[in-house]
Amino acid sequence: MPQPNHSTYDVVIIGGAIFGSSVAWWLTQMAGFDGKVLVVERDPTYEYAATSHTNSCIRQQFSSAINVKVSQFGAEFIKNFRRFMGDDPEVPHLALQSFGYLYLADTPEFAQTLQQNQQIQVALGAGTQHMTAAEVAAAYPFYQLDDIIAANHNRVDEGYFDGGTMFDWFKRTARRNGVEYLHDEVTAMTKAADGTSVTHVTLKSGATVACGTVVNASGPRAAATAGMAGITLPVEPRKRYTFVFDAAKPLDRDLPLTIDPSGVHFRTEGKYYMAGCPPREDPAVAYDDFAFDHSLWEDKVWPAIATRVPQFDQVKVINEWVGHYDYNTLDQNAIVGPHSVVENFLCLNGFSGHGLQQAPALGRGIAEWIAYGAYRTLDLSPYAYRRIEENQSLIEKAVI
C-alpha cells in the first residue's frame, strides 16, 4: 500500500465517499484554512459504499425544521453546482428533476401527520401541498386510490439528480486543491492521557500519523470507527433494495416518487421506473453482507406497484441491487459534530437513507467547525452527539 506523504495532518477524514469528500472539498473553500488534510479510504473503487448504491433523491418533505433547511441548501447547491465549484467550465451543470415526492396516507392518523408536516414545510418556504385523494386523481389519473385519504406532494426542488457526478467533482476538486487521498484503512486510534482527544491514527499498512482533528465519515461502518476512540454510536448497516423496471404500458407523464402505505416506493427513472423497499425483516447485517433476496420483488414490490398503478400489470425488472443504510437506531437522523468528551473526534454519521441530499450542507458545516470552531451558515446543533448520550430523539416523522 502507498504510504502517507506526511507524519502529521491537521485533519484526518476516515472514509472518502460522498461525506468524506464533501468535507474535504469544503475545507478547501474555507477562508483562512490552510491545514493538511488526509482522506483515508479502504476501497477506492467505492463498489460497496452506500454512496454507490444511492437513488440520488432529494426532498424537503421532512417533519423537523433542520432537515428541511439542510435539503433546501442541497437543492440550491445542485442547481448552482458550477457556480459553487468556482465557475469552472469543465464542471457540468446538474439537473434537478422536480417531479416531487408523493406521500399517500391510508389512515386518518397518517393523514393528520402529513397535514402537520406540510404546515411546517410551508412555513419554511417549501412548496408542499396537502391533497385529497380526488386532487391526486385529477393530477395523476393512473393511481388506484380507493384506500387513500390524503397525500402530500411537492414539485419545487424535490425529486432526483445525478449524485454520482456531484461525488466525483467533490473528490477530484478536493484533490486538485491539495487534499491527499490514501488507499488504506484506519485500524486503531491513540488518545491523549486525559482521553479528550485522538492524537494518532494507525493504518492497516502499518503507518501511524498524528492528527489535529478526526472526522468519522465511514458510512455504515461508523460504529466500528467510533469504537476505536472508545465512542459508542447507535449506527448499523441495514439492507435496502432497489429495482429498475420497464413497463409494457408506460405512463403518459412523470411518476412522482410515490411512498405507498405498503412501504414500497417507486418513481420515474428516465424511460424506465425505479422501486425500492426494506426487507420483510430489517435487522442489522454484516458490513460485507450484500446477499440479494430475489423473492422480494414477486412477493412484495410488484404486488404493491401493480395494485397502486394498475397500468403496471406488465413490467420487467432490468436491474436490481442491494445497498446499506447507515441506520441510526435512536431516531433515524444524522449525528453531526464533535463528541462530548473526545472533542477532536467529529461525527458525520447515521443518515438512515437521506444522506446524499444532505452532503452539501453537512459537509460545509463540519468544514466550518474545523476551520472556525463553530457553524457559520446553518446551525447544525440539533444533530449533536449529546442527544445520543441523553437518549433524546430528534424526532423525524417522514422516514422512508
Side-chain angles (χ1 to χ4, degrees):
M1 283 186 173
Q3 295 294 298
N5 293 335
H6 307 281
S7 60
T8 301
Y9 291 87
D10 297 277
V11 183
V12 174
I13 300 172
I14 304 172
I18 188 67
F19 275 97
S21 290
S22 175
V23 173
W25 177 78
W26 276 111
L27 280 169
T28 70
Q29 307 301 301
M30 296 291 117
F33 178 81
D34 59 358
K36 292 194 295 292
V37 180
L38 175 67
V39 178
V40 182
E41 172 52 52
R42 62 187 302 276
D43 177 17
T45 71
Y46 301 98
E47 180 181 3
Y48 295 109
T51 298
S52 301
H53 297 130
T54 179
N55 294 344
S56 294
C57 296
I58 186 167
R59 60 185 165 111
Q60 296 176 37
Q61 291 193 63
F62 290 97
S63 66
S64 61
I66 185 60
N67 282 336
V68 177
K69 293 176 183 178
V70 162
S71 283
Q72 286 174 329
F73 176 71
E76 178 189 346
F77 188 86
I78 292 162
K79 292 189 299 180
N80 298 282
F81 187 58
R82 181 180 286 179
R83 176 173 63 80
F84 276 101
M85 288 283 163
D87 288 316
D88 182 345
E90 293 184 26
V91 176
H93 292 290
L94 291 185
L96 203 172
Q97 306 293 335
S98 293
F99 50 65
Y101 281 55
L102 181 71
Y103 283 83
L104 298 175
D106 62 348
T107 67
E109 294 77 18
F110 189 41
Q112 184 178 22
T113 295
L114 288 183
Q115 189 164 34
Q116 292 169 346
N117 291 351
Q118 186 258 358
Q119 291 168 356
I120 292 168
Q121 294 152 19
V122 169
L124 293 168
T128 311
Q129 295 179 305
H130 187 66
M131 305 172 72
T132 64
E135 289 171 329
V136 174
Y140 301 102
F142 47 74
Y143 288 119
Q144 188 285 115
L145 299 168
D146 289 350
D147 59 329
I148 298 303
I149 297 172
N152 276 4
H153 190 213
N154 176 17
R155 294 193 62 181
V156 181
D157 294 343
E158 187 167 281
Y160 80 101
F161 65 101
D162 186 351
T165 294
M166 184 171 75
F167 167 47
D168 179 57
W169 280 94
F170 275 152
K171 178 161 49 76
R172 74 164 71 185
T173 310
R175 280 176 161 157
R176 186 182 299 170
N177 292 346
V179 173
E180 180 184 346
Y181 276 68
L182 182 67
H183 176 199
D184 211 324
E185 184 174 354
V186 174
T187 57
M189 298 182 194
T190 303
K191 292 196 291 186
D194 64 1
T196 62
S197 65
V198 174
T199 61
H200 297 78
V201 298
T202 301
L203 305 178
K204 189 175 183 179
S205 62
T208 298
V209 297
C211 52
T213 299
V214 176
V215 179
N216 182 359
S218 47
R221 295 175 179 264
T225 298
M228 297 177 202
I231 294 169
T232 300
L233 276 183
V235 177
E236 59 189 32
R238 294 199 182 184
K239 287 184 179 180
R240 291 296 181 268
Y241 290 81
T242 299
F243 304 86
V244 178
F245 63 94
D246 195 8
K249 295 174 284 187
L251 305 176
D252 64 355
R253 66 201 74 186
D254 283 338
L255 174 67
L257 198 157
T258 307
I259 299 92
D260 192 74
S262 66
V264 173
H265 55 86
F266 45 97
R267 64 167 171 86
T268 291
E269 173 71 7
K271 66 178 182 178
Y272 301 116
Y273 301 93
M274 178 180 284
C277 67
R280 299 175 190 83
E281 303 294 330
D282 194 20
V285 298
Y287 296 129
D288 60 352
D289 179 2
F290 292 90
F292 202 93
D293 180 355
H294 294 281
S295 69
L296 203 58
W297 170 260
E298 290 290 339
D299 295 345
K300 180 178 180 179
V301 180
W302 182 64
I305 293 171
T307 298
R308 187 62 59 203
V309 182
Q311 197 168 325
F312 284 162
D313 59 340
Q314 298 178 55
V315 299
K316 179 182 180 181
V317 174
I318 60 173
N319 196 11
E320 59 188 15
W321 63 86
V322 60
H324 289 171
Y325 272 11
D326 50 334
Y327 192 87
N328 177 356
T329 60
L330 175 66
D331 58 17
Q332 294 81 66
N333 264 310
I335 306 165
V336 180
H339 185 257
S340 54
V341 176
V342 190
E343 297 172 351
N344 72 335
F345 186 97
L346 304 186
C347 300
L348 196 53
N349 311 112
F351 307 102
S352 306
H354 40 267
L356 198 83
Q357 64 190 286
Q358 297 187 322
L362 302 190
R364 178 185 62 176
I366 287 292
E368 290 172 346
W369 189 275
I370 293 169
Y372 312 124
Y375 301 124
R376 287 194 168 183
T377 50
L378 186 60
D379 180 10
L380 302 180
S381 59
Y383 297 125
Y385 179 87
R386 188 170 298 279
R387 81 179 195 278
I388 308 300
E389 294 176 315
E390 298 173 353
N391 198 33
Q392 295 295 319
S393 298
L394 173 61
I395 298 299
E396 176 52 65
K397 300 176 183 178
V399 174
I400 298 175

